[in-house]
Amino acid sequence: MRIGLLTGGGDCPGLNAAIRAVVKQATGEYGHTVIGFRNGWRGVVDGDVHPLGRQDIRNVLPVGGTLLGTARFHPSTEDGSMDAVLTTFEAERLDALICIGGDGTLHAASQVGEAGVPIVAIPKTIDNDVEGTDLSIGFHTAVNIATEAIDRVHTTAESHNRVMVVEVMGRHAGWIAVNAGIAGGAEVVLAPEEPFDIEQVVKFLRHRHRAHANFSIVVVAEGAVPRAGSSMSFTQQLGRFGEIVAGSVGDRVSAEIAERTGFDTRLTVLGHVQRGGEPTPTDRILGSRFGVAAVDAVGAGTTGVMTALRAERIELVPLADVAGRPKRVPDEMLRVAKALA
Amino acid sequence: MRIGLLTGGGDCPGLNAAIRAVVKQATGEYGHTVIGFRNGWRGVVDGDVHPLGRQDIRNVLPVGGTLLGTARFHPSTEDGSMDAVLTTFEAERLDALICIGGDGTLHAASQVGEAGVPIVAIPKTIDNDVEGTDLSIGFHTAVNIATEAIDRVHTTAESHNRVMVVEVMGRHAGWIAVNAGIAGGAEVVLAPEEPFDIEQVVKFLRHRHRAHANFSIVVVAEGAVPRAGSSMSFTQQLGRFGEIVAGSVGDRVSAEIAERTGFDTRLTVLGHVQRGGEPTPTDRILGSRFGVAAVDAVGAGTTGVMTALRAERIELVPLADVAGRPKRVPDEMLRVAKALA
Amino acid sequence: MRIGLLTGGGDCPGLNAAIRAVVKQATGEYGHTVIGFRNGWRGVVDGDVHPLGRQDIRNVLPVGGTLLGTARFHPSTEDGSMDAVLTTFEAERLDALICIGGDGTLHAASQVGEAGVPIVAIPKTIDNDVEGTDLSIGFHTAVNIATEAIDRVHTTAESHNRVMVVEVMGRHAGWIAVNAGIAGGAEVVLAPEEPFDIEQVVKFLRHRHRAHANFSIVVVAEGAVPRAGSSMSFTQQLGRFGEIVAGSVGDRVSAEIAERTGFDTRLTVLGHVQRGGEPTPTDRILGSRFGVAAVDAVGAGTTGVMTALRAERIELVPLADVAGRPKRVPDEMLRVAKALA
Amino acid sequence: MRIGLLTGGGDCPGLNAAIRAVVKQATGEYGHTVIGFRNGWRGVVDGDVHPLGRQDIRNVLPVGGTLLGTARFHPSTEDGSMDAVLTTFEAERLDALICIGGDGTLHAASQVGEAGVPIVAIPKTIDNDVEGTDLSIGFHTAVNIATEAIDRVHTTAESHNRVMVVEVMGRHAGWIAVNAGIAGGAEVVLAPEEPFDIEQVVKFLRHRHRAHANFSIVVVAEGAVPRAGSSMSFTQQLGRFGEIVAGSVGDRVSAEIAERTGFDTRLTVLGHVQRGGEPTPTDRILGSRFGVAAVDAVGAGTTGVMTALRAERIELVPLADVAGRPKRVPDEMLRVAKALA
């Protein structure tokens, strides 16, 4: 068999572990050929191939990013790029496609699958908001990085009697914020799952600084929003690359806390470091298991599916069932974050 | 309510996170009182109490070990220590007991529960072989440490054309060996789940060094055993503290590989570092969630249970269902470890 | 003897190691008494004392920040605070003062010394720009954190074909930028020591992306400045806390590169994480040696000095000789940073 | 010019940083050609060459070990291997040789230099006992790893009321033991510089456990020796690979403490992990500066020298002055280790 392989969307740690597993399992166990595409769907559309053998994956297991490159581009039926995908699939005489990606890539995979291409998807997103799987590649490393950052600002908060606001990634769900908030012992965690009332946050901090301690850590997911009708409003400005560059919620929350409490308040925006560098063992293992499972699925003719972690098992979930809406943080975790504040 | 709290068995990272969560949730949410016992069941038997308030748990979240101390001692009906447990329970006017521990502690908890004490257990063991829960406290940190060690010996193996044998913990199950083996890219993983044939290991290494590379990494769980009837036999010698000190399987495997292949072969026994130091975010979160859940269970009158992680949820499992036999590594993971060798 | 102890200026990792060493050496070796002051010189002025015994320093060695608290406040002859320092010194019947701090604290120490107080200073600054010592406490940890961040954005740069700009601390000297730049393999390092020409930077990047690679990492010290007469100008805006919040040089450099090259360019501002968290072994050792040396100096009556690391030795340098101007990065290191781009 | 390059002796983190710097500086700044030799002096003797260009050093900066391979072999005049070195030097039309290595390699370099080969040496040894330089490549990373291990066993020692003995590398000098001992807050540090009296160690531990705490950490360099005439004697047994495998001093010290005090005492032998894996920023910077300096020295015709770090500067030291005896840990550091116990 000839299997195409691509990584799409934002990069993250653990992609290379999955690529390595696909190549090892496909070429070793089955004697298949793996054809990589450069820079995600862009490479499929352009026919930019990179045949992958065992030499290409040497020593990549602990390396972040993706050796195939990636791009935030997804094929569409409107601009003809979907047709180009099908053309490449035929031209390269592929039997199946394995694509590793987040929400956008999974959506594209679903459409490509419906167009007749046998496809298996592997979920990755540091936001961890893909439905149907306990974990997506990249999330675990991001939580580690965010927790380390919270640990670091903690000592400064305590030494200087400050409120430290840490803004982490999480556009549609607060997985990083809630997990790193619990792991780092944050006093307040603001996540998209629960619109916040800045006055309640401020009241809590005032009480804490009066009664217990003279410092606090507030973790804010970039997608956190004020409760409708509450006394804080803000408008985000998007930067030249579609990113939130001003009026970020962390910026606004930090300013409101400083103004309303008078506490010395500082903001740290973690940014790109959350998605780079050496993957944790968990992300390496997850990528490895997903990669092997994806090849096995292709071998078994089970396509149109996504590999998923469910408790201790790897399962295959129909791509159609992977809902468009983001997977929410369980209420129990939101309660734990509050209980331990 | 007055809740007793103890940590039993070997120490590990994440215990303090659980202690902190129990104290915060019990004293904060419910207004309960928490009475800690020093050095595990030993402290219960001796009535060695340590009342726990919010001051005692300051800054312990990222600290390994247990602030309560622990001991490898379990109460028994034979020597009267079980009676002493019940006496202390009454003398301290406790309403319930929360105990954090591994196999031995869970067994004791089950018996104490049957004797009429409302008890909730929290599982911890770096071996991760407790049935009924996806994860036990301490395991995740141990995998990280073992993987880091494998990463480190990897560069030496490659630079010196060596076979590096790394012996990790895992008396009855190979969770650390298999996980760290996959994460570290080991060529061979020997786990208790699958008795090994040293001649097959040697044959594999010879082939690899002839065809692909001139170095290899072999990860051995301390509980790995040669297949009955295979050409390698060994007897373990127990040290003064009941530990395997000579004739360890790593030692033997290392010697056999060296003798049979002539390859430059070195052994590293990881030992105590696997169970100490700063817990990973995952172990901090797990301890936090288990601690809150245990207090909630006590509050709800649901006792005789163990907190458990099942996929993304925290559940309560009857202590009676937590089988005595160790939880095995899934076959799928054993296959992945082999496929990626 | 009764020795006063304070930490002044911004906090950093390694301060607690120095505090611990002062307390252990003073109380152990000599039987002295150590009187801590809370929140730096502010606590001396206010007489806010915190007697320090062995119990207070338990387990603080690996903990960042300062258990004494600190503040960016320095006594002055104009507002009467210098008199208050002398009053407290007498009221507490102190024989000497040990102060741990950066530029501002050292300057204050010099003046307090001239006013008749036997004083020994210990240098700390993550910027490492204190003259007379190879290293100041906190710098080494900051370099580690900055290098880790560069390592992380490296994989994203490569996967997405981007220019990643990383802004690190260093107002007057480029120690962090140059060290982390070399350690992280940055293509361009901009430090205050050498005003830069943005057009040369752009020319270099264009050439590199054409000839060698399609990504680059640019490290910018916050105090880097464009060369006079060059085509880039910028004005910094100071935030509510006296920090550079807009028009930061990293922001400007990032925008210029994006505009002039068209390359996908992203900025990461490391911020507060650089000065918090667990100190590296080097900072723990440095703090420990400085603390012991400071107490020995007090014991020997050698005051008006600063402890210093010179090659492998700890020496004492007259406070008067610690020049006001910042210690520059050696030219050799600037050349190495360029040679390895 | 054509420059030969080799790495000899045991591998360690930072070697690739030096190789990368040699290649970049030689090929970039000067337009030289670099000819690598595989597996140390063995490759020179056998003429096993590996031409090194910019592609070969991509992404090696943060990778431990040596991409050239290494071996514990040194040319000698007796077996003709010294002649073979000279033959290869001529056959490959080399103008100079840069060798990176420890004691044995430096000695060989000195002899090769005397035989007429223009040679520049770069010191590496995790033991840090090379005279003439503040630091050798690899030492700094080893201290970090050893400190992390001490941090980890610390929490177990405290939780279980144990004495934890940690044996670290250091055959002839106690640099790792003393540095990691101070950084990790060890109670006792035994180094080759000061033969120890086990009875004094035991007396100290008994006193401590009675008066202050119920746990202790003892760090032992593998080359530590009992004081002549003291009550402890031991004989080391060398393993099949010339390593100390039984009767290690850590083993003996651990047994003596357990016997004489009755304290629960455990041994951890760090072993190979100390010399592998990702180099710290310090080792990457040191390797980078040494590599550039070595090429500059060759270019300037200054040969027969070793690159050295002296305070903040890189200097060149005549190979003849690099004494055969190991560089000792300064007395001041030994005193600090004791003062902070």
Side-chain angles (χ1 to χ4, degrees), chain A residues 93-116:
Chain A
R93 292 168 294 114
L94 298 179
D95 298 289
L97 209 54
I98 294 177
C99 65
I100 311 172
D103 200 44
T105 303
L106 296 172
H107 182 70
S110 181
Q111 294 188 307
V112 168
E114 281 166 24

Side-chain angles (χ1 to χ4, degrees), chain D residues 35-38 43-44 46-51 68 88 92 94:
Chain D
I35 308 295
F37 291 99
R38 287 205 186 78
V44 187
D46 297 349
D48 188 357
V49 301
H50 179 317
L68 282 174
T88 298
E92 291 293 331
L94 299 179

Side-chain angles (χ1 to χ4, degrees), chain A residues 20-21 24-25 29 54 58-59 61-62 128 133-135 140 143-144 147 151 154 158 175 179-180 182-185 212 215 278 280-282 284-285 288-289 292 296 310-314 327 330 332-333 335-336 339-341, chain B residues 20-21 24-25 29 54 58-59 61-62 128 133-135 140 143-144 147 151 154 158 175 179-180 182-185 212 215 278 280-282 284-285 288-289 292 296 310-314 327 330 332-333 335-336 339-341:
Chain A
R20 170 180 176 268
K24 282 211 164 185
Q25 178 73 345
E29 182 92 359
R54 298 209 144 216
R58 255 190 92 223
N59 290 335
L61 183 56
N128 202 39
T133 180
D134 294 354
L135 288 178
H140 191 267
V143 170
N144 270 33
T147 302
D151 282 354
H154 184 111
E158 210 168 343
W175 288 92
N179 276 273
I182 294 173
H212 297 301
F215 72 93
E278 189 177 296
T280 58
T282 299
R284 300 188 206 175
I285 296 166
S288 298
R289 293 171 80 183
V292 168
D296 286 350
R310 294 252 177 113
E312 293 173 331
R313 292 204 311 280
I314 301 296
K327 185 179 70 163
E332 172 258 342
M333 291 200 75
R335 280 195 305 109
V336 168
L340 303 186
Chain B
R20 170 179 176 269
K24 283 211 163 185
Q25 179 73 345
E29 181 92 0
R54 297 209 144 217
R58 252 190 95 224
N59 289 335
L61 183 56
N128 203 39
T133 181
D134 293 354
L135 287 178
H140 191 266
V143 169
N144 269 33
T147 302
D151 281 354
H154 183 112
E158 209 168 344
W175 288 92
N179 277 273
I182 293 172
H212 297 302
F215 73 94
E278 188 175 297
T280 58
T282 299
R284 300 189 205 174
I285 296 166
S288 298
R289 293 172 79 183
V292 168
D296 286 349
R310 295 251 176 114
E312 293 174 330
R313 292 204 311 280
I314 301 296
K327 185 179 69 162
E332 171 258 341
M333 292 200 75
R335 279 194 306 109
V336 168
L340 303 186

Side-chain angles (χ1 to χ4, degrees), chain C residues 20 24-25 58 61 134 140 144 151 158 179 183 185 281-282 284-285 289 311-312 314 327 332 339-340, chain D residues 20 24-25 58 61 134 140 144 151 158 179 183 185 281-282 284-285 289 311-312 314 327 332 339-340:
Chain C
R20 172 180 175 267
K24 282 212 163 183
Q25 178 74 345
R58 252 190 96 223
L61 183 56
D134 293 355
H140 192 267
N144 270 33
D151 282 354
E158 211 167 343
N179 276 273
T282 299
R284 300 189 205 174
I285 296 166
R289 293 172 79 184
E312 293 173 330
I314 301 296
K327 185 178 70 161
E332 172 259 341
L340 303 186
Chain D
R20 171 180 176 269
K24 281 212 164 183
Q25 179 73 346
R58 252 190 95 225
L61 183 56
D134 294 354
H140 191 266
N144 270 33
D151 282 354
E158 210 167 343
N179 276 274
T282 300
R284 299 189 205 174
I285 296 166
R289 294 171 79 184
E312 292 174 330
I314 301 296
K327 185 179 70 161
E332 173 259 341
L340 303 185

Side-chain angles (χ1 to χ4, degrees), chain D residues 27-49:
Chain D
T27 62
E29 181 93 0
Y30 295 95
H32 298 335
T33 298
V34 179
I35 308 295
F37 291 99
R38 287 205 186 78
N39 302 325
W41 291 106
R42 169 55 66 199
V44 187
V45 168
D46 297 349
D48 188 357
V49 301

Side-chain angles (χ1 to χ4, degrees), chain A residues 235-239 243-248:
Chain A
T235 333
Q236 295 187 338
Q237 293 165 28
L238 301 184
E243 291 183 321
I244 304 165
V245 289
S248 93

